[in-house]
PDB file of all heavy atoms in Angstrom:
ATOM      1  N   SER A  56      25.925  19.074   3.359  1.00  0.00           N
ATOM      2  CA  SER A  56      26.509  19.886   4.434  1.00  0.00           C
ATOM      3  C   SER A  56      25.474  20.547   5.273  1.00  0.00           C
ATOM      4  O   SER A  56      24.356  20.799   4.834  1.00  0.00           O
ATOM      5  CB  SER A  56      27.406  21.011   3.853  1.00  0.00           C
ATOM      6  OG  SER A  56      28.253  20.562   2.856  1.00  0.00           O
ATOM      7  N   LYS A  57      25.919  20.872   6.487  1.00  0.00           N
ATOM      8  CA  LYS A  57      25.081  21.668   7.371  1.00  0.00           C
ATOM      9  C   LYS A  57      25.405  23.127   7.127  1.00  0.00           C
ATOM     10  O   LYS A  57      26.549  23.518   7.111  1.00  0.00           O
ATOM     11  CB  LYS A  57      25.484  21.278   8.793  1.00  0.00           C
ATOM     12  CG  LYS A  57      24.487  21.704   9.865  1.00  0.00           C
ATOM     13  CD  LYS A  57      25.102  21.495  11.231  1.00  0.00           C
ATOM     14  CE  LYS A  57      24.503  20.285  11.938  1.00  0.00           C
ATOM     15  NZ  LYS A  57      25.025  20.204  13.349  1.00  0.00           N
ATOM     16  N   VAL A  58      24.378  23.916   6.871  1.00  0.00           N
ATOM     17  CA  VAL A  58      24.622  25.319   6.585  1.00  0.00           C
ATOM     18  C   VAL A  58      24.014  26.162   7.739  1.00  0.00           C
ATOM     19  O   VAL A  58      22.833  25.957   8.077  1.00  0.00           O
ATOM     20  CB  VAL A  58      23.983  25.768   5.276  1.00  0.00           C
ATOM     21  CG1 VAL A  58      24.005  27.232   5.076  1.00  0.00           C
ATOM     22  CG2 VAL A  58      24.677  25.036   4.129  1.00  0.00           C
ATOM     23  N   THR A  59      24.817  27.000   8.358  1.00  0.00           N
ATOM     24  CA  THR A  59      24.304  27.815   9.458  1.00  0.00           C
ATOM     25  C   THR A  59      23.698  29.094   8.895  1.00  0.00           C
ATOM     26  O   THR A  59      24.313  29.777   8.088  1.00  0.00           O
ATOM     27  CB  THR A  59      25.454  28.138  10.412  1.00  0.00           C
ATOM     28  OG1 THR A  59      26.127  26.913  10.744  1.00  0.00           O
ATOM     29  CG2 THR A  59      24.926  28.773  11.675  1.00  0.00           C
ATOM     30  N   CYS A  60      22.492  29.369   9.311  1.00  0.00           N
ATOM     31  CA  CYS A  60      21.796  30.551   8.820  1.00  0.00           C
ATOM     32  C   CYS A  60      22.055  31.743   9.750  1.00  0.00           C
ATOM     33  O   CYS A  60      22.689  31.591  10.793  1.00  0.00           O
ATOM     34  CB  CYS A  60      20.303  30.304   8.760  1.00  0.00           C
ATOM     35  SG  CYS A  60      19.879  28.816   7.820  1.00  0.00           S
ATOM     36  N   SER A  61      21.556  32.895   9.380  1.00  0.00           N
ATOM     37  CA  SER A  61      21.917  34.128  10.095  1.00  0.00           C
ATOM     38  C   SER A  61      21.446  34.103  11.552  1.00  0.00           C
ATOM     39  O   SER A  61      22.056  34.691  12.432  1.00  0.00           O
ATOM     40  CB  SER A  61      21.331  35.363   9.370  1.00  0.00           C
ATOM     41  OG  SER A  61      19.936  35.216   9.309  1.00  0.00           O
ATOM     42  N   LYS A  62      20.314  33.434  11.870  1.00  0.00           N
ATOM     43  CA  LYS A  62      19.817  33.468  13.229  1.00  0.00           C
ATOM     44  C   LYS A  62      20.484  32.375  14.092  1.00  0.00           C
ATOM     45  O   LYS A  62      20.003  32.113  15.207  1.00  0.00           O
ATOM     46  CB  LYS A  62      18.318  33.275  13.247  1.00  0.00           C
ATOM     47  CG  LYS A  62      17.517  34.515  12.769  1.00  0.00           C
ATOM     48  CD  LYS A  62      16.043  34.336  13.016  1.00  0.00           C
ATOM     49  CE  LYS A  62      15.254  35.278  12.187  1.00  0.00           C
ATOM     50  NZ  LYS A  62      13.855  34.858  12.037  1.00  0.00           N
ATOM     51  N   GLY A  63      21.456  31.697  13.545  1.00  0.00           N
ATOM     52  CA  GLY A  63      22.150  30.670  14.314  1.00  0.00           C
ATOM     53  C   GLY A  63      21.577  29.289  14.107  1.00  0.00           C
ATOM     54  O   GLY A  63      22.232  28.287  14.476  1.00  0.00           O
ATOM     55  N   GLY A  64      20.436  29.195  13.543  1.00  0.00           N
ATOM     56  CA  GLY A  64      19.870  27.877  13.251  1.00  0.00           C
ATOM     57  C   GLY A  64      20.606  27.291  12.036  1.00  0.00           C
ATOM     58  O   GLY A  64      21.409  27.942  11.383  1.00  0.00           O
ATOM     59  N   TRP A  65      20.372  26.002  11.815  1.00  0.00           N
ATOM     60  CA  TRP A  65      21.004  25.429  10.622  1.00  0.00           C
ATOM     61  C   TRP A  65      20.096  24.505   9.860  1.00  0.00           C
ATOM     62  O   TRP A  65      19.127  24.024  10.364  1.00  0.00           O
ATOM     63  CB  TRP A  65      22.313  24.711  10.990  1.00  0.00           C
ATOM     64  CG  TRP A  65      22.273  23.920  12.241  1.00  0.00           C
ATOM     65  CD1 TRP A  65      22.755  24.298  13.468  1.00  0.00           C
ATOM     66  CD2 TRP A  65      21.706  22.630  12.418  1.00  0.00           C
ATOM     67  NE1 TRP A  65      22.523  23.307  14.365  1.00  0.00           N
ATOM     68  CE2 TRP A  65      21.856  22.288  13.793  1.00  0.00           C
ATOM     69  CE3 TRP A  65      21.053  21.733  11.612  1.00  0.00           C
ATOM     70  CZ2 TRP A  65      21.447  21.061  14.325  1.00  0.00           C
ATOM     71  CZ3 TRP A  65      20.571  20.544  12.123  1.00  0.00           C
ATOM     72  CH2 TRP A  65      20.791  20.191  13.466  1.00  0.00           C
ATOM     73  N   VAL A  66      20.473  24.309   8.596  1.00  0.00           N
ATOM     74  CA  VAL A  66      19.706  23.439   7.699  1.00  0.00           C
ATOM     75  C   VAL A  66      20.698  22.561   6.968  1.00  0.00           C
ATOM     76  O   VAL A  66      21.910  22.823   6.959  1.00  0.00           O
ATOM     77  CB  VAL A  66      18.891  24.264   6.688  1.00  0.00           C
ATOM     78  CG1 VAL A  66      17.865  25.123   7.363  1.00  0.00           C
ATOM     79  CG2 VAL A  66      19.804  25.105   5.808  1.00  0.00           C
ATOM     80  N   PHE A  67      20.221  21.494   6.338  1.00  0.00           N
ATOM     81  CA  PHE A  67      21.020  20.667   5.469  1.00  0.00           C
ATOM     82  C   PHE A  67      20.685  20.948   4.033  1.00  0.00           C
ATOM     83  O   PHE A  67      19.508  21.208   3.695  1.00  0.00           O
ATOM     84  CB  PHE A  67      20.801  19.202   5.743  1.00  0.00           C
ATOM     85  CG  PHE A  67      21.431  18.699   7.013  1.00  0.00           C
ATOM     86  CD1 PHE A  67      20.691  18.393   8.139  1.00  0.00           C
ATOM     87  CD2 PHE A  67      22.807  18.523   7.063  1.00  0.00           C
ATOM     88  CE1 PHE A  67      21.296  17.931   9.296  1.00  0.00           C
ATOM     89  CE2 PHE A  67      23.420  18.093   8.258  1.00  0.00           C
ATOM     90  CZ  PHE A  67      22.661  17.786   9.333  1.00  0.00           C
ATOM     91  N   ILE A  68      21.692  20.952   3.181  1.00  0.00           N
ATOM     92  CA  ILE A  68      21.453  21.128   1.752  1.00  0.00           C
ATOM     93  C   ILE A  68      21.644  19.806   1.069  1.00  0.00           C
ATOM     94  O   ILE A  68      22.714  19.172   1.133  1.00  0.00           O
ATOM     95  CB  ILE A  68      22.430  22.172   1.128  1.00  0.00           C
ATOM     96  CG1 ILE A  68      22.389  23.465   1.927  1.00  0.00           C
ATOM     97  CG2 ILE A  68      22.072  22.419  -0.341  1.00  0.00           C
ATOM     98  CD1 ILE A  68      21.060  24.187   1.919  1.00  0.00           C
ATOM     99  N   LEU A  69      20.588  19.330   0.369  1.00  0.00           N
ATOM    100  CA  LEU A  69      20.615  17.999  -0.225  1.00  0.00           C
ATOM    101  C   LEU A  69      20.645  18.030  -1.744  1.00  0.00           C
ATOM    102  O   LEU A  69      20.145  18.957  -2.385  1.00  0.00           O
ATOM    103  CB  LEU A  69      19.360  17.229   0.193  1.00  0.00           C
ATOM    104  CG  LEU A  69      19.181  17.010   1.696  1.00  0.00           C
ATOM    105  CD1 LEU A  69      17.911  16.243   1.988  1.00  0.00           C
ATOM    106  CD2 LEU A  69      20.391  16.285   2.292  1.00  0.00           C
ATOM    107  N   HIS A  70      21.316  16.987  -2.275  1.00  0.00           N
ATOM    108  CA  HIS A  70      21.342  16.798  -3.728  1.00  0.00           C
ATOM    109  C   HIS A  70      19.901  16.444  -4.174  1.00  0.00           C
ATOM    110  O   HIS A  70      19.262  15.628  -3.520  1.00  0.00           O
ATOM    111  CB  HIS A  70      22.272  15.641  -4.049  1.00  0.00           C
ATOM    112  CG  HIS A  70      22.681  15.621  -5.490  1.00  0.00           C
ATOM    113  ND1 HIS A  70      21.859  15.246  -6.482  1.00  0.00           N
ATOM    114  CD2 HIS A  70      23.853  15.944  -6.077  1.00  0.00           C
ATOM    115  CE1 HIS A  70      22.508  15.340  -7.640  1.00  0.00           C
ATOM    116  NE2 HIS A  70      23.733  15.755  -7.408  1.00  0.00           N
TER     117      HIS A  70
END
Side-chain angles (χ1 to χ4, degrees):
Chain A
S56 312
K57 195 190 254 186
V58 171
T59 310
C60 307
S61 60
K62 286 187 199 162
W65 40 259
V66 296
F67 285 107
I68 307 297
L69 300 179
H70 197 287

